[in-house]
Amino acid sequence: MTFLADLTIRSSLIVAAGLTAHALLHRRSAALRHFVLAAAVGAAGAATPLNGALPAWNPFPSVARSTSPRSAATHPTDAARSHAARATEIASAEAGQADAKQDSSVDRLLSVIWMVWIAGVLFSAAVLLAGFGRLARIGRRAERVQDGPWVRTTEEIAAAYGLRRRVVVLQTDAPDLLATWGSFRPRVLLPLDAREWRDDRVRVVLWHELAHIRRHDWAVQIAAEALRAICWFNPLIWMACDRLRRDSEQACDDEVLDAGVRPRDYAAHLLDLARICRRPGRAWASATPMARPSTLERRIAVMLNPRVNRQSLSLRAVITTMALLLLITLPAAAFRAGQSVLRPLEGAVYDPSGGVLPGVELKLEDAGQIKWQATSDAAGHFEFPAVQTGHYVLEASLMGFRPLRHELDLRSTRDWDRAITLQVGDLRESISVTTPRSATPPSAVPPGPKPVRVGGNIRVPRKLQDVRPVYPASMRDAGREGVVPLEAVIGRDGTVQSVRVLSANVHPDFATAAVDAVRQWVFSPTLLNGKPVDVVMTVTVAFSLAD
C-alpha cells in the first residue's frame, strides 16, 4: 500500500507542476507547452523507479515521533524492570489484542484497495492493447502505397523535415482512419478514398502527419497513456493526457502554416477531413488521428488568429525546462509516504532449541549504511529506537553461531516486532598435506583442530580420532598439486555423516584421498544447551610437493 501511496503522491506532485507551468505558458507556442507537459509526464513515470536509487527524504522531520514509550525510557535497574514488567504485562496483552484487531481491519481494507487498483490497471491496459491490436490488424490488411503523389510528396516533406526514418504510407480499408503510429517504423494510415484526394490536400495531410513523426508525438502519447493506465484513478494524469493530444495537434498545425499553407485553406481541409473521420478520438487512442471532431473548433480558431505564437522549440527552452523539472523530480522521487511516524524495531533472539541468546550484536542497515546498532539483553530482547517505514537489512552475530543477514520491509505495525533464531555455527579446519618429490612417505604427525571461539550455550566438539590424508602416488609422480575444499556434516554421535567436495576444479585422485580421510574422523558430540545437535564443518585439504 505504501507503494501505491508513494506513486500517487509523486506523480500528482510532478504532473501538477507540469499542468501549472502549462497554464502559465498559455501565450507561448504549442510546441513549448507540449514539451513542458511531456517532460513532466515522463518525470512522473520515472520518479518511482528513481526512489530505490535515492536516499529517503522526510519533508516533515518535526512531525516524526515514536509510538512506543520504550524508546524514550532511560536504562532501568533490574529490580525496576521486574516490577515494571509485572505492572505492564496485562496492559500490554490488552493493547496487543486491540492492535491485532485494528491491523486486521486495516489489512482487509488495504486488500480491497489493492484489488480495485489492479482491476483498473488490467482494464486500462486491455483497452490500450486492444487499440494496438486493431491498428496492427488494419495495417496487415492495408496496401502499401509505392508510387504516385503520396510517395513523391512524402519523400519531399521528409527531406524538408530532415527525417532519416523511412515513412511507410498505407492505404487501409477503414473509411474514417487518418492517423500516424509507430516510432522506429512510422506508418501513415490513410482512409479508403485517399487516392482520390487533390494534390493540395495530400500535401497538407503529409505536412501534418510527418510533423508528428519528426516530433515523436506517438511515443510521447503512448507513454502518457501507459501512465494513465497505471494511475487510472488520478484525474491529473487524465488532464495531462488530453492536453498533450491537443497541444501536439496544434503544434503540427503550426508546422503546416509555417510551410506556407494559408490558414483559411488549411481550415477548409480540416473541416472536410472531420466529416470523413467522424469516429471519436478514443476509438483510435493508440494512434494520433489528424482530424478529431472534439478539438476541431479550437484548432481552427487558433490557426485563424494571427497573434498566436507559433515558434518552434528552442534549445534554451529545453535546457531550462529540464533543469526546473529536475528540481521538482529529485525531491519527489526521494520522498516516501508514511515515514513521518517512527516506531522502535524490537524483538528477541533465540537459539534452535528455543532458548534466548544474550549478548547478540545486531546492526540495521539502510541503503547500504549502518544506521542503528543494538545488543540483546539477558532476556534476549533487542531494540532499535525510532525506525521509519522502508526497506532494511538486519545483521545479527554471536560467537559460535552462524551470522545472520536478513532483508526486511517495514510496512504494517506487526513488522516492527521481530523474532530471530540463530543457527549453530560452522566448524572450519584446514589441512596441508606436503610430500617430497621423492618416494619418501609423508609425515604422520596430524595437525590439531582449529579452535573455534564459541559463545552462548554451545560446547564445541573435540576431535577424538584423526586420520591424515595420504598424498596420491599418481599425483606425486605426475608432479601435480591441488586444494580440495570439503563440507562435512558431524552427526549427533560425533561421527562424520556425509562429506562433499565444494569445487568442480579438483582432480578425482585428490578428492578421493581427502574424502576417505575425513570420513574416518570422530568427534565428541556438539552440545547446544546440553543436547547433542548436528554441525557442519568446512575442511580445506591442500596437497603440495616439497622440493
Side-chain angles (χ1 to χ4, degrees):
M1 190 60 194
T2 304
F3 164 78
L4 189 56
D6 289 348
L7 175 64
T8 303
I9 294 174
R10 280 191 287 267
S11 61
S12 298
L13 177 63
I14 298 174
V15 173
L19 289 171
T20 302
H22 181 275
L24 295 175
L25 297 172
H26 66 281
R27 295 186 181 274
R28 304 298 295 273
S29 66
L32 177 60
R33 295 197 305 271
H34 181 269
F35 177 77
V36 169
L37 199 53
V41 170
T48 298
L50 281 175
N51 175 253
L54 296 175
W57 170 64
N58 184 2
F60 311 108
S62 60
V63 182
R65 60 183 177 89
S66 174
T67 60
S68 173
R70 182 187 295 270
S71 62
T74 59
H75 298 283
T77 63
D78 292 339
R81 178 178 295 178
S82 62
H83 290 296
R86 294 175 185 174
T88 59
E89 184 177 290
I90 297 177
S92 298
E94 294 177 352
Q97 293 178 357
D99 289 343
K101 293 180 180 179
Q102 183 179 4
D103 289 343
S104 178
S105 301
V106 172
D107 289 343
R108 286 195 296 267
L109 177 60
L110 296 182
S111 298
V112 172
I113 294 176
W114 269 110
M115 292 175 62
V116 172
W117 174 67
I118 292 176
V121 171
L122 293 177
F123 176 78
S124 302
V127 172
L128 189 59
L129 291 176
F132 282 128
R134 187 177 186 185
L135 283 177
R137 185 172 61 254
I138 292 176
R140 286 193 300 269
R141 296 200 308 259
E143 177 186 357
R144 181 172 180 175
V145 180
Q146 300 182 352
D147 54 13
W150 283 103
V151 175
R152 292 193 302 271
T153 308
T154 298
E155 294 175 350
E156 176 187 344
I157 297 176
Y161 277 145
L163 286 175
R164 297 183 178 180
R165 290 165 290 168
R166 184 174 181 82
V167 181
V168 178
V169 181
L170 298 176
Q171 175 81 52
T172 70
D173 56 1
D176 57 353
L177 176 58
L178 175 59
T180 299
W181 78 298
S183 181
F184 297 104
R185 299 178 59 188
R187 298 168 178 83
V188 177
L189 304 178
L190 303 177
L192 185 61
D193 60 347
R195 289 183 180 271
E196 301 175 1
W197 291 354
R198 302 189 311 270
D199 290 347
D200 56 345
R201 177 166 297 178
V202 170
R203 181 171 294 275
V204 165
V205 168
L206 288 178
W207 273 113
H208 183 95
E209 298 301 330
L210 267 65
H212 278 306
I213 297 173
R214 184 176 69 87
R215 291 165 35 84
H216 301 278
D217 285 341
W218 182 83
V220 171
Q221 195 65 43
I222 293 304
E225 293 291 340
L227 183 61
R228 176 159 61 177
I230 298 174
C231 302
W232 55 268
F233 53 87
N234 193 334
L236 294 177
I237 306 296
W238 286 75
M239 293 172 59
C241 288
D242 290 341
R243 281 163 174 74
L244 277 175
R245 283 189 177 273
R246 185 183 68 191
D247 288 341
S248 68
E249 294 300 328
Q250 185 178 337
C252 292
D253 291 342
D254 293 341
E255 296 278 359
V256 176
L257 297 178
D258 289 342
V261 178
R262 291 170 41 180
R264 291 185 178 275
D265 294 340
Y266 187 32
H269 286 299
L270 279 182
L271 287 173
D272 291 340
L273 292 173
R275 297 189 185 99
I276 298 173
C277 305
R278 297 179 180 179
R279 191 75 61 92
R282 291 298 299 172
W284 306 110
S286 54
T288 53
M290 177 177 177
R292 298 177 64 197
S294 60
T295 62
L296 192 61
E297 181 179 356
R298 178 183 177 87
R299 289 171 60 188
I300 292 178
V302 170
M303 71 178 61
L304 294 178
N305 186 352
R307 293 177 295 178
V308 172
N309 189 331
R310 308 186 193 279
Q311 293 180 352
S312 58
L313 192 63
S314 64
L315 179 61
R316 180 180 178 181
V318 171
I319 295 175
T320 303
T321 301
M322 298 305 295
L324 293 176
L325 271 178
L326 282 177
L327 294 177
I328 300 174
T329 304
L330 293 180
F335 172 76
R336 293 180 183 174
Q339 66 183 42
S340 58
V341 177
L342 308 179
R343 300 183 179 94
L345 175 62
E346 55 186 342
V349 188
Y350 304 91
D351 62 27
S353 68
V356 296
L357 288 177
V360 179
E361 296 182 358
L362 300 104
K363 299 177 181 178
L364 192 64
E365 296 183 5
D366 180 19
Q369 298 181 356
I370 299 177
K371 298 293 186 179
W372 299 271
Q373 297 184 8
T375 303
S376 60
D377 58 17
H381 178 268
F382 69 91
E383 178 182 320
F384 298 107
V387 181
Q388 62 192 14
T389 302
H391 180 80
Y392 298 93
V393 176
L394 177 64
E395 293 184 354
S397 60
L398 181 64
M399 290 183 296
F401 292 85
R402 294 183 185 179
L404 173 71
R405 182 177 176 86
H406 175 64
E407 295 187 8
L408 53 91
D409 290 303
L410 301 181
R411 302 298 180 191
S412 63
T413 304
R414 288 174 291 182
D415 294 337
W416 272 262
D417 186 11
R418 295 280 168 172
I420 299 174
T421 301
L422 295 184
Q423 302 297 326
V424 178
D426 297 344
L427 299 176
R428 297 181 181 272
E429 182 163 342
S430 298
I431 300 175
S432 178
V433 181
T434 305
T435 187
R437 297 186 182 273
S438 62
T440 305
S443 173
V445 180
K450 183 179 179 180
V452 179
R453 298 171 59 190
V454 180
N457 299 316
I458 293 180
R459 191 179 75 182
V460 65
R462 293 180 295 104
K463 187 184 290 187
L464 303 179
Q465 178 178 325
D466 185 27
V467 177
R468 187 174 179 80
V470 178
Y471 207 110
S474 59
M475 297 292 97
R476 180 196 59 197
D477 296 339
R480 302 186 65 173
E481 299 177 333
V483 177
V484 184
L486 302 173
E487 183 181 86
V489 178
I490 303 174
R492 299 182 181 182
D493 59 355
T495 61
V496 177
Q497 302 294 325
S498 64
V499 183
R500 66 186 184 96
V501 181
L502 300 179
S503 175
N505 300 319
V506 176
H507 194 280
D509 290 350
F510 284 136
T512 301
V515 170
D516 289 344
V518 174
R519 284 186 183 277
Q520 302 178 57
W521 292 354
V522 179
F523 296 83
S524 63
T526 303
L527 300 181
L528 174 61
N529 298 328
K531 297 180 180 180
V533 294
D534 295 338
V535 67
V536 178
M537 169 180 280
T538 301
V539 182
T540 302
V541 181
F543 294 90
S544 60
L545 295 171
D547 294 330

